């Protein structure tokens, strides 16, 4: 689950006078750990040799 908490930043406090969203990521207790990568090592090796 992704939760975004908005904080209004004032210029007096060194912010840019714009809102900032603090991201909070929360996973279920029983969720399996997963790693996602758009590129695999095999694809990265092929792309490097093509350059």
């Amino acid at each position: 689950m992704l939760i975004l908490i908005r904080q209004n930043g004032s210029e007096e406090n060194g912010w840019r006078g714009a809102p900032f969203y603090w991201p909070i990521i929360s996973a279920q207790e029983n969720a399996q750990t997963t790693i996602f990568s758009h590129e695999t090592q095999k694809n990265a090796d092929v792309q490097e040799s093509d350059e």
Side-chain angles (χ1 to χ4, degrees):
M1 176 187 319
L2 174 64
I3 301 169
L4 296 173
I5 298 178
R6 179 181 168 156
Q7 181 174 356
N8 293 322
S10 63
E11 292 185 17
E12 297 92 33
N13 292 334
W15 292 56
R16 295 182 181 173
F20 178 82
Y21 291 89
W22 294 94
I24 300 171
I25 299 173
S26 176
Q28 294 176 336
E29 270 188 48
N30 59 353
Q32 276 189 320
T33 302
T34 304
I35 298 174
F36 173 80
S37 173
H38 183 69
E39 294 182 4
T40 62
Q41 185 60 42
K42 181 179 178 183
N43 290 340
D45 292 341
V46 170
Q47 288 177 358
E48 288 177 12
S49 64
D50 289 343
E51 294 176 355

